[in-house]
Amino acid sequence: MKFLREKLDEIKPNFSKGGKFEKFHPAFEAIDTILYVPKEVTSAKGVQVKDAVDLKRLMMTVVIALIPCLLFGMWNVGFQHYLAIGETSTFIDQFLYGAMKVLPIVIVAYAVGGLVEGTFSVLRNHPIAEGFLVTGMLVPLCIPASIPLWQVALAMVFAIVLGIEVFGGVGTNVLNVALTARAFLYFAYPTDISGDVWTAGIHGEGIKLVEGYTGATPLAIAHSTPAGESVANALSAVSYGGFDHIFSLKNLFMGVIPGSIGETSTLAILIGAAILIVTGVASWRIIVGVFGGAWLTGLLLNAFAVNPFMGLPAHYHLVMGGLAFGAVFMATDPVTAAHTTKGKWIYGILIGAMTVIIRVFNPAYPEGIMLAILLMNVFAPLIDHYVVEANKTKRLKRATV
């Protein structure tokens, strides 16, 4: 490592001001700071801020928190594949198959995201922003494993250019970047991100699926449950490939179901949530607010229950679809979320409530967390504004003249 440090110091003047590679200083700085802690320190007369966590390490903490979802997602992709074709397989077979499907998506997301971010850094002469480290992991985890790689590349370009750079760069974006990419894919290529797309590789020519296999998600089944029947019973009755009761509450929590790569396992997501909360990276108020808002809205709909989906027990909403993943990794985005304490509660509760409302009343779009978070991203500054104004009014009333 000493040799590498000396080599970087040797070529550094070429990338500094006046050097022949001055334009590529952001790329050199990014590599240098990823490998080593910067040597620059504040002068004795400068402002002294002591903190072991900078933006790059904060982003890496989010990536580490996503690893349980990534590993489980790789195994589940392989498990669902062998379940769909009815072949006996080992844990290693399932994990390796899933890794072969998932890792190329992650690599393409990071390569394209890094290239676009690096290009803008050179053109604008600013350091490479670390945001793409998280975006490059979040985007693959919120899409199906069967998605074409060129669509992943296109989504990353769209998200970084129109989600970040047009607003001025990382820290000034209005919408969650990863959800911007997912929304682009959903509306541009709906047949590749919704419907029967959740098991990678099952659509190949000559591949025969087990009898009765549909690939439907729990949310799709909930919408198609006939009037007068219970959605919970309809979910529990689903069996295929020798796997009985695949959509039981336990399996929904564990994540052994079809779905986006990293969104199926609530357990893996909660492990990531614990890492983010303990390290202080994510707001627990927003996470609890989203879960609480969804649960209370589910209870309210239960009171009326004029259709089967409205009668679904409220706690099912917490483990179905992408609600948990969105609550932990998307809604808590420190740039696009509300910043005041009360604002975080309001922001989280409204996301949870809107997610359930969209799910239940919009049969054309069974998953609602993406639209709910994007909409609340827009309203987050307004929520903070009214919370601050309310605090000012309250303090003025207490003031004595």
Side-chain angles (χ1 to χ4, degrees):
M1 295 303 290
K2 183 179 179 183
F3 166 79
L4 182 59
R5 178 68 268 170
E6 291 176 350
K7 196 64 182 176
L8 287 172
D9 290 339
E10 179 184 334
I11 64 174
K12 185 175 182 178
N14 294 325
F15 295 90
S16 301
K17 189 174 182 180
K20 55 183 176 180
F21 300 127
E22 178 185 350
K23 287 187 175 179
F24 299 100
H25 173 75
F28 176 84
E29 189 269 346
I31 296 172
D32 194 2
T33 54
I34 286 175
L35 295 173
Y36 297 95
V37 176
K39 293 188 298 183
E40 289 77 10
V41 296
T42 306
S43 64
K45 294 183 178 179
V47 177
Q48 304 294 317
V49 179
K50 294 183 179 180
D51 196 330
V53 178
D54 59 9
L55 184 59
K56 198 177 273 93
R57 281 147 190 84
L58 185 142
M59 294 295 178
M60 287 307 299
T61 303
V62 180
V63 173
I64 291 170
L66 286 165
I67 288 177
C69 297
L70 174 67
L71 296 177
F72 184 88
M74 288 195 292
W75 170 79
N76 190 46
V77 167
F79 175 75
Q80 295 298 328
H81 167 75
Y82 285 108
L83 191 65
I85 63 176
E87 286 188 7
T88 302
S89 59
T90 65
F91 175 85
I92 298 299
D93 292 335
Q94 295 159 0
F95 187 83
L96 290 178
Y97 181 87
M100 285 192 299
K101 291 292 180 181
V102 174
L103 289 181
I105 298 175
V106 176
I107 292 170
V108 167
Y110 271 123
V112 174
L115 181 63
V116 176
E117 185 62 45
T119 301
F120 274 95
S121 297
V122 171
L123 292 175
R124 292 181 168 179
N125 192 28
H126 64 66
I128 292 180
E130 296 82 357
F132 85 92
L133 295 174
V134 174
T135 306
M137 183 66 81
L138 281 176
V139 171
L141 293 182
C142 67
I143 56 180
S146 57
I147 198 156
L149 292 178
W150 65 267
Q151 290 185 14
V152 178
L154 203 57
M156 288 299 295
V157 173
F158 181 89
I160 293 178
V161 175
L162 295 181
I164 301 178
E165 297 301 335
V166 295
F167 293 104
V170 172
T172 58
N173 51 298
V174 176
L175 303 175
N176 181 280
V177 182
L179 283 181
T180 304
R182 193 181 193 281
F184 167 77
L185 290 173
Y186 183 79
F187 292 109
Y189 309 101
T191 57
D192 290 319
I193 199 171
S194 62
D196 188 14
V197 299
W198 306 108
T199 305
I202 66 172
H203 304 294
E205 188 176 351
I207 296 178
K208 186 178 180 181
L209 306 184
V210 296
E211 185 176 353
Y213 179 83
T214 65
T217 63
L219 290 170
I221 293 173
H223 267 294
S224 61
T225 302
E229 295 187 12
S230 163
V231 174
N233 290 339
L235 289 171
S236 183
V238 176
S239 301
Y240 52 74
F243 196 151
D244 295 331
H245 311 300
I246 187 170
F247 293 134
S248 66
L249 188 61
K250 176 185 175 184
N251 288 337
L252 289 173
F253 176 76
M254 297 299 293
V256 195
I257 57 174
S260 296
I261 296 170
E263 292 183 351
T264 62
S265 176
T266 306
L267 176 61
I269 293 167
L270 290 180
I271 294 173
I275 295 173
L276 295 181
I277 292 173
V278 168
T279 55
V281 171
S283 167
W284 65 269
R285 294 179 178 85
I286 293 177
I287 297 173
V288 174
V290 175
F291 282 113
W295 185 67
L296 292 173
T297 305
L299 288 179
L300 181 64
L301 295 181
N302 289 167
F304 298 96
V306 295
N307 64 48
F309 206 166
M310 289 177 69
L312 178 70
H315 54 276
Y316 271 78
H317 284 292
L318 308 184
V319 295
M320 291 169 61
L323 186 139
F325 190 82
V328 173
F329 296 109
M330 305 289 199
T332 54
D333 179 358
V335 176
T336 57
H339 294 88
T340 56
T341 301
K342 285 185 180 177
K344 290 176 180 177
W345 281 111
I346 298 170
Y347 172 82
I349 291 170
L350 288 177
I351 288 176
M354 289 181 60
T355 300
V356 173
I357 290 171
I358 294 172
R359 280 180 175 180
V360 174
F361 296 109
N362 184 3
Y365 186 67
E367 180 54 273
I369 188 71
M370 179 186 78
L371 294 179
I373 293 176
L374 288 176
L375 184 60
M376 291 313 301
N377 284 166
V378 177
F379 282 97
L382 190 63
I383 293 172
D384 283 336
H385 169 76
Y386 281 111
V387 169
V388 172
E389 289 299 312
N391 284 338
K392 288 166 62 177
T393 303
K394 190 183 297 181
R395 291 188 178 189
L396 284 173
K397 287 181 179 178
R398 292 201 304 260
T400 56
V401 179

